[in-house]
């Protein structure tokens, strides 16, 4: 089946299935979050995400969690030449949902999360399965029944997940690029 997840809202892991939404506070579970690999690295489960570039790095860097078999709705939107590519636009145009922008810049570190923030976080992932079906259908339709656009969306999505986070090596000179960059901006 299609499992969906969108990650991250700072300090929160969001996962939705067809029947349930999960909001996970990663801080108290940090050492155990590698267990998510049972789902995230399972090639039999499609992970539907939006703009997963930073999620890939964040999950690898902080939790050693890796993604396999991803469908990125942002990549699909680009192939469909949609007028806007934001998740808010997709949710509004495909699901009729109006997101509350006040939570985009909210402090997601507070605990317990207020009910309005919980609702907002759940909405972020709850409709990803539906978006997946709609965008998949539109990619097939735009390709006149040929799967080439759908395959391109899947290929582009999974190219992103192949990026690997490499912990920076600290050397006595590793800070020099920052000094040079600062000097370049001060001139």
């Amino acid at each position: 089946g299609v499992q969906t997840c969108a990650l991250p809202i700072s300090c929160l892991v969001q996962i939705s299935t067809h029947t349930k939404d999960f909001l996970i506070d990663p801080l108290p579970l940090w050492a155990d979050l590698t267990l998510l690999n049972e789902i995230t690295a399972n090639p039999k489960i499609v992970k539907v995400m939006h703009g997963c570039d930073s999620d890939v790095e964040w999950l690898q860097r902080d939790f050693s969690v890796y993604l396999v078999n991803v469908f990125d709705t942002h990549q699909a939107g680009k192939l469909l030449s949609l007028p806007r590519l934001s998740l808010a636009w997709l949710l509004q145009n495909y699901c009729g949902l109006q997101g509350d922008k006040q939570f985009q810049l909210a402090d997601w570190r507070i605990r317990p999360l207020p009910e309005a923030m919980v609702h907002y976080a759940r909405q972020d992932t709850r409709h990803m399965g539906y978006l997946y079906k709609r965008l998949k259908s539109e990619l097939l339709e735009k390709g006149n029944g040929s799967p080439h656009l759908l395959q391109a969306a899947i290929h582009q999505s999974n190219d992103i997940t192949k990026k690997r986070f490499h912990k920076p090596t600290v050397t006595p000179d590793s800070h020099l690029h920052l000094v040079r960059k600062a000097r370049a901006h001060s001139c």
Side-chain angles (χ1 to χ4, degrees):
V2 175
Q3 303 294 319
T4 64
C5 56
L7 301 161
I9 285 179
S10 300
C11 299
L12 188 65
V13 176
Q14 306 152 258
I15 300 173
S16 291
T17 67
H18 289 299
T19 57
K20 287 194 175 199
D21 303 315
F22 300 91
L23 301 179
I24 302 167
D25 181 353
L27 301 178
L29 304 171
W30 202 282
D32 297 319
L33 284 180
T34 56
L35 293 172
L36 287 176
N37 282 309
E38 291 180 25
I39 296 167
T40 61
N42 184 338
K44 294 179 182 176
I45 300 172
V46 177
K47 277 62 72 179
V48 183
M49 303 178 76
H50 182 80
C52 68
D53 304 66
S54 59
D55 301 334
V56 168
E57 180 178 340
W58 178 71
L59 289 167
Q60 289 179 21
R61 181 191 67 219
D62 295 347
F63 308 116
S64 296
V65 171
Y66 297 86
L67 296 166
V68 174
N69 195 11
V70 169
F71 181 89
D72 187 328
T73 57
H74 180 84
Q75 298 301 319
K78 285 194 319 189
L79 288 166
L80 289 167
S81 302
L82 296 178
R84 306 246 347 254
L85 299 174
S86 69
L87 180 57
W89 188 89
L90 292 172
L91 289 172
Q92 181 178 0
N93 284 278
Y94 287 92
C95 305
L97 296 173
Q98 192 75 20
D100 191 339
K101 294 180 190 280
Q102 73 173 347
F103 295 119
Q104 290 176 348
L105 301 175
D107 184 355
W108 289 90
R109 297 170 296 175
I110 60 175
R111 296 295 183 267
L113 285 174
E115 190 58 38
M117 290 174 78
V118 169
H119 177 75
Y120 176 84
R122 292 176 72 180
Q123 293 303 313
D124 247 10
T125 58
R126 175 174 292 156
H127 303 282
M128 296 299 281
Y130 176 75
L131 286 176
Y132 169 67
K133 289 177 188 171
R134 288 284 307 268
L135 294 172
K136 184 178 163 183
S137 176
E138 286 188 24
L139 288 164
L140 290 169
E141 185 179 312
K142 186 174 180 179
N144 295 321
S146 169
H148 69 280
L149 284 176
L150 175 59
Q151 290 169 342
I154 293 167
H155 180 75
Q156 289 173 10
S157 300
N158 286 288
D159 273 354
I160 295 168
T161 67
K162 292 176 184 172
K163 295 177 185 171
R164 292 292 171 254
F165 174 76
H166 298 287
K167 186 176 178 180
T169 306
V170 178
T171 66
D173 297 334
S174 58
H175 67 288
L176 291 179
H177 77 282
L178 295 173
V179 173
R180 287 186 197 101
K181 188 175 181 181
R183 285 184 183 158
H185 288 290
S186 65
C187 295

